[in-house]
Amino acid sequence: MKKFYHFLAKKAIPTALVALFGLGGLYPLVVLAQVPNDGNYWQQQVMWSQINAPNAWSVTTGKREVIVAVIDSGTDIDHEDLRENIWINEREIPQNGRDDDRNGFIDDIHGWDFLENTNDVRPEIFASDTDTEAARHGTVVAGLVGAVGNNGKAGAGVNWSATIMPLRAMDNFGSGSFTNIARAVEYATDNGADVITMSFVGDVADPVLRQSLRRAYEHGIVLVAAVGNKGLFEAGDLDTSPVFPACYDEGDKENWIIGVSSVTPQDRLADFASYGKCVDIVAPGTGIFSLEPFAPQLGYRSGFAGGWDGTSFSTPLVAGTAALVKSVQPNWSPLEIIETVLAFSEPVDAKNTTYEGKIGEGRLDMGKAVAQAAASPVKQVFGSFYYFKDNQLSRFNVDEGVQQVVAKVEGAKIISFDYEVSSRGTVGRIVLLIKRDAFYYVRTITADGKLLKEVPVPLEKGLVLQKVRIIANAPQPPYVIVERFSPQKKTYDLVQVAEFGKTKTLLSKKTSLVGWDVDEQNGKWVWAELQKRKLTLHEVDLSTAQERVFSFNAVDSVTTVNAAPFFGKNSSEVAVLYRQGGSTKKLIVEMASESFQTGEVGKSGAKDAPWKMLVSAKPGEKGHEFIFYKAPGGTVWITNSRGDYLREVAIPPIAGQWE
């Protein structure tokens, strides 16, 4: 039987002491936005501070709805700091000896052991031939992903509240077969996992396992894999000695597996860490502290310990961050999550010149990735920007430097907003998509915040409303379109909302909507989907559809503009912001119309991209203005359509908007 070898890290207490105390004494405790009260947090503080975790926790500490599958050597599901976050298969009746949910597994309450074919997912710590480090490994990994935080016990995980799905596919010595791992991946896919973390490697590209992983990705699962510990003095160059599953996507147009390597607290590549093109990101991997199995009668007395080195422990930090991003953007595709985590990492090539271009996009930065995912959309109309935080909508006039609160919605949260613009360039009606308790409403207000109307939006169970759009020239009542998403079916719908909340479905598509807009004159609309880095643009009039396909590398943003022709005289123009070249920071803007306009963006600090994109409808001497902004920082960088730098402004924060 083919073996898929699990490269286990070893406990290295002397290394752990160096990692904690460094060369210049104990690292100072950095007081940041959200620090848990767990008793052993101080032993993890260097790691969490390095990846900006407390700032991420100030935005979200995770959600139970997000499921992370841990394929490993077993997890101590009874651990006091982990059991609250262990997955429960609610479709199964415990211990009745039946396959109640008909998924092929009897009494799989918390997952499955694919080695012994039982529902006991705990590590095999009772066997006399067990490697104790292998027995601990799965719990260490699970603890880094989702140990309960701020409960005064042990330590904290990336997600204080998440759901861990334990799947045992590694034996007592840390090795397993391709077949069992593929079965575990299939189980995770069929039972609702959002993220799969894999702290193991092998040197054979098994096609069955690759197929299972690809299926998981296409079902909306983020895949995260270690790149191994072959080190600087062995076969550590993955370009000549690739490992799997981390390198399965090497050479593909789409980056569908995050390959993770390790750095020290000083952001230098760890001595044991592998490197090469398969590496997408690096994360702390030396002197790691986490949960361990607790069974005093068998010699497992601590329940929490440290000194762990290896890419095995960098990987769950990245997987956990993907789960945090998922918690604030539940309808994002795996590609959107992957590119956010990678793009908002901290560049460390300057500290690793020998390995430049071989250690991915940078070092994991939880704070930046989560802030980017959670940042509210900003809309621009001529010289003003509109943006929101929670229940407050604000306006900032760029020329005058004046900020105003437009409206507050008591007892509800703003999800999205849009507004009408008159021919004179003034704002007319504003429409807000709000959520109050578990229900959604469309509220229409005047430009100065006066309430005009509010109607409920009927919603089936399990659906999420994400974006609202008002058509400026529509008669009363306003013509409003809402984007609706089904996390279970992975489908997007565009729904017209009429008076009294009556809805009409315009489009249902199982794809990734990256941009859509409506022509205000005739009601036709253009929408864009992105799959395998191919952008398909469609124009729909509810009876016919046209489409054009473009290939872009690493699309960052898509915006539709009601202006220049695309398919015809009254159609919309689509602007695409993307990065040119795999890991370069050069940004390009293309107008996907009959005549392409291209602007290179990378001057005056914009090279520290990626950036979000807005497109002004106001024509100037040099054509349309493109406005790029770094949402978490509130920095707005303005160019013309050719990419020429015009100016930079900073929007003041509101109630923690960019703090």
Side-chain angles (χ1 to χ4, degrees), residues 279-294:
V279 178
D280 295 302
I281 196 169
V282 293
T286 62
I288 302 300
F289 281 76
S290 182
L291 307 184
E292 293 188 357
F294 183 68

Side-chain angles (χ1 to χ4, degrees), residues 30-37 41 48 52-61 150 160:
V30 181
V31 179
L32 293 171
Q34 179 80 302
V35 176
N37 63 8
Y41 176 77
W48 294 134
N52 202 11
N55 278 357
W57 293 330
S58 71
V59 177
T60 181
T61 55
N150 211 39
W160 300 358

Side-chain angles (χ1 to χ4, degrees), residues 333-410:
S333 68
L335 183 60
E336 290 173 296
I337 295 173
I338 289 171
E339 293 200 339
T340 297
V341 172
L342 299 186
F344 284 86
S345 59
E346 180 69 21
V348 292
D349 275 347
K351 297 181 180 180
N352 298 276
T353 54
T354 304
Y355 307 101
E356 187 173 358
K358 292 193 173 188
I359 54 174
E361 294 290 333
R363 190 253 302 132
L364 175 68
D365 192 318
M366 280 174 55
K368 288 182 180 178
V370 171
Q372 170 63 16
S376 83
V378 176
K379 291 183 180 292
Q380 184 267 349
V381 54
F382 300 171
S384 295
F385 292 93
Y386 285 75
Y387 48 101
F388 66 88
K389 173 69 175 181
D390 294 331
N391 69 336
Q392 181 173 308
L393 178 69
S394 293
R395 174 176 58 233
F396 176 68
N397 184 289
V398 175
D399 296 324
E400 299 175 3
V402 176
Q403 178 180 251
Q404 295 175 296
V405 176
V406 177
K408 285 187 177 182
V409 183
E410 299 300 331

Side-chain angles (χ1 to χ4, degrees), residues 87-100:
W87 180 66
I88 299 175
N89 184 358
E90 296 180 349
R91 299 170 300 172
E92 195 77 15
I93 299 174
Q95 310 307 324
N96 69 347
R98 297 177 182 176
D99 181 12
D100 300 294

Side-chain angles (χ1 to χ4, degrees), residues 89 133 222 229 266 393 395 478 480 525 540 586 641 653:
N89 184 358
E133 289 174 347
V222 179
N229 306 329
Q266 294 76 32
L393 178 69
R395 174 176 58 233
V480 174
W525 43 277
V540 182
K586 186 178 183 182
S641 60

Side-chain angles (χ1 to χ4, degrees), residues 486-536:
S486 170
Q488 294 295 326
K489 298 179 180 178
K490 308 297 182 186
T491 58
Y492 291 81
D493 298 314
L494 295 185
V495 179
Q496 178 183 343
V497 180
E499 194 172 15
F500 309 119
K502 183 178 179 180
T503 61
K504 176 182 179 181
T505 299
L506 304 179
L507 171 74
S508 180
K509 185 73 175 175
K510 190 170 184 177
T511 185
S512 177
L513 288 180
V514 291
W516 56 274
D517 208 345
V518 185
D519 189 287
E520 297 176 355
Q521 300 298 323
N522 58 22
K524 290 185 178 181
W525 43 277
V526 171
W527 60 279
E529 62 174 312
L530 178 66
Q531 292 205 358
K532 297 183 179 178
R533 298 187 188 264
K534 289 200 174 198
L535 184 72
T536 305

